[in-house]
Amino acid sequence: MTTSSRPRLSLARRPVTALTLAALSLGGALAGGGTATAAPQPTAAPKPAAPKPAPAKPAKPVKPADARAGDLLDVTLDQLRPTQPTVGFDQIYYKLGRYSSTKDEANGSINKRFDDWCETNGQEKAASVKPNAKISDASTFTCTVPVGQETAETRAAMKTVVVGPGNTLYLTDGHHSLTSFLETPGGGAKTHIRLRVTANLSKLSTSSFWKTMQERKWVRLRDENNRAITVNQLPNRLGLANFHDDRYRSLVYFTRDIGYQPPADAAEFLEFQWGTWLRDRVNLASYDLTSPDSYLSAIRAASEAMSATPGDTVIADGRTADELGRMAQWNDGKKATGGEFGKLGTPVTEAKPGKLAYALDYRAHLPVKPGQPGKPKPCKR
């Protein structure tokens, strides 16, 4: 006996659905040996590129008479009046030695004089330098931060000036840097630099001006032996021949990042304050400052004294050791052969000489005694 069954629908008589059509389409494609592909989707129109922001325009130049605190003044070095009678010659000799050397270029870097100028001008560091470039011609090199795009950080690195009676410009920070720019080949008295205005005191009388400068500690009236002077004994312009040499100021410079680190809110004349304190603790007359080894011994004695003193010790002008940047660990905890102290005395014959080596090599080639008229003659290396 056979069972009955419902007759099957042929494919042609089956209900046609969207799913069925899709399956048929796929099967036909595969049967023909092709590759199944999805139907093309409409593409969205590309979004227009965001417009590039317009470069910041340099601010309109400010005249000294109109300057306010925080403004940037474009000046030439011969316009500036110092507010201290001394500098550390060996610090400047280091800069001049390095500026006149080709070691930086040989190491694949830009000569440090361009980095220093850019930093001082509020533009971070050098980006490119043309052949035969010089810092007195800003068209021959570029900086990483264009004029008009300065940041709070780059502005903080700039040197400072106070506008005095008669719109005279008194430099309150940067005597060493700007003297180096003035003395180096390719620099000079007409070299431009921008300075950050600390205050405009041009409306004060001369006596009130100097009284205010002393009250705010914007002038240093001590000579190279830490003896008091008057404002009439201050130099009238920048330049090595116009300053006296304070050896303790140089000594403190070489202890940087070994015995102390300048804090963000560094006091005016910070290095001189450390130098005043060190006069009673390190007798430089007992060292031969023409000998690298002897000079390094003096630097070590000074920097170790700085680190070893308790942080709450008053150093000078009511400032404590910690306020003046004392490093709790000498040479940042590294051995004497490493860290900043280890680098300091690397000979000038090496690929990367130390700061002290540059200074002593440059000083050894001076055609005149420090403090005498005449520019130092760059030595050949």
Side-chain angles (χ1 to χ4, degrees), residues 20-21 31 36 46 68-69 75 80 82 114 124 133 190 208 212 228 305-306 342 359:
T20 305
L21 290 174
R68 296 179 295 179
V75 304
L80 302 172
F114 298 104
E124 194 176 47
K190 294 299 181 181
S208 295
T212 301
M306 296 161 84

Side-chain angles (χ1 to χ4, degrees), residues 83-312:
T83 55
Q84 63 192 51
T86 66
V87 291
F89 278 26
D90 284 343
Q91 176 178 340
I92 294 174
Y93 291 159
Y94 152 62
K95 292 293 183 72
L96 295 178
R98 187 163 180 177
Y99 292 173
S100 62
S101 171
T102 58
K103 297 278 187 177
D104 288 334
E105 292 89 336
N107 291 323
S109 302
I110 292 173
N111 188 280
K112 185 172 173 58
R113 67 184 180 275
F114 298 104
D115 280 337
D116 286 354
W117 188 94
C118 288
E119 180 183 49
T120 303
N121 207 51
Q123 298 181 260
E124 194 176 47
K125 61 182 180 180
S128 64
V129 176
K130 295 179 181 179
N132 302 315
K134 50 188 179 180
I135 59 172
S136 60
D137 184 354
S139 70
T140 62
F141 61 96
T142 64
C143 305
T144 54
V145 175
V147 170
Q149 297 183 24
E150 301 82 7
T151 65
E153 185 178 0
T154 65
R155 287 171 64 96
M158 300 177 75
K159 307 308 180 184
T160 53
V161 67
V162 169
V163 183
N167 297 320
T168 302
L169 302 177
Y170 290 89
L171 185 67
T172 52
D173 178 44
H175 293 77
H176 291 77
S177 295
L178 302 193
T179 295
S180 299
F181 296 161
L182 187 149
E183 297 285 0
T184 192
K190 294 299 181 181
T191 299
H192 278 261
I193 198 70
R194 292 184 306 164
L195 303 174
R196 182 163 41 84
V197 176
T198 301
N200 189 332
L201 306 179
S202 60
K203 304 301 182 185
L204 298 181
S205 66
T206 300
S207 59
S208 295
F209 168 76
W210 286 114
K211 183 175 184 291
T212 301
M213 291 288 284
Q214 291 180 66
E215 289 173 347
R216 299 186 185 181
K217 303 185 186 303
W218 290 341
V219 60
R220 177 173 172 79
L221 298 177
R222 312 292 296 186
D223 70 7
E224 68 275 20
N225 297 308
N226 202 36
R227 295 176 301 203
I229 66 167
T230 68
V231 295
N232 294 326
Q233 293 174 280
L234 290 171
N236 290 324
R237 59 188 183 278
L238 296 175
L240 279 171
N242 302 308
F243 288 106
H244 292 278
D245 180 22
D246 185 337
R247 297 184 302 167
Y248 282 91
R249 176 61 180 76
S250 292
L251 178 67
V252 173
Y253 173 71
F254 291 127
T255 66
R256 182 177 296 183
D257 297 323
I258 301 171
Y260 87 105
Q261 291 176 324
D265 57 344
E268 299 289 348
F269 307 110
L270 178 149
E271 290 86 355
F272 283 108
Q273 293 176 4
W274 274 119
T276 298
W277 184 78
L278 286 170
R279 288 175 188 274
D280 298 327
R281 290 160 180 81
V282 178
N283 180 13
L284 286 180
S286 63
Y287 295 91
D288 178 3
L289 299 186
T290 65
S291 162
D293 289 341
S294 187
Y295 208 142
L296 278 172
S297 295
I299 295 167
R300 180 164 185 169
S303 56
E304 286 181 338
M306 296 161 84
S307 287
T309 193
D312 59 357

Side-chain angles (χ1 to χ4, degrees), residues 61-85:
V62 178
K63 296 180 180 179
D66 303 324
R68 296 179 295 179
D71 283 343
L72 305 184
L73 278 181
D74 187 307
V75 304
T76 54
L77 299 182
D78 58 358
Q79 291 179 267
L80 302 172
R81 297 283 292 270
T83 55
Q84 63 192 51

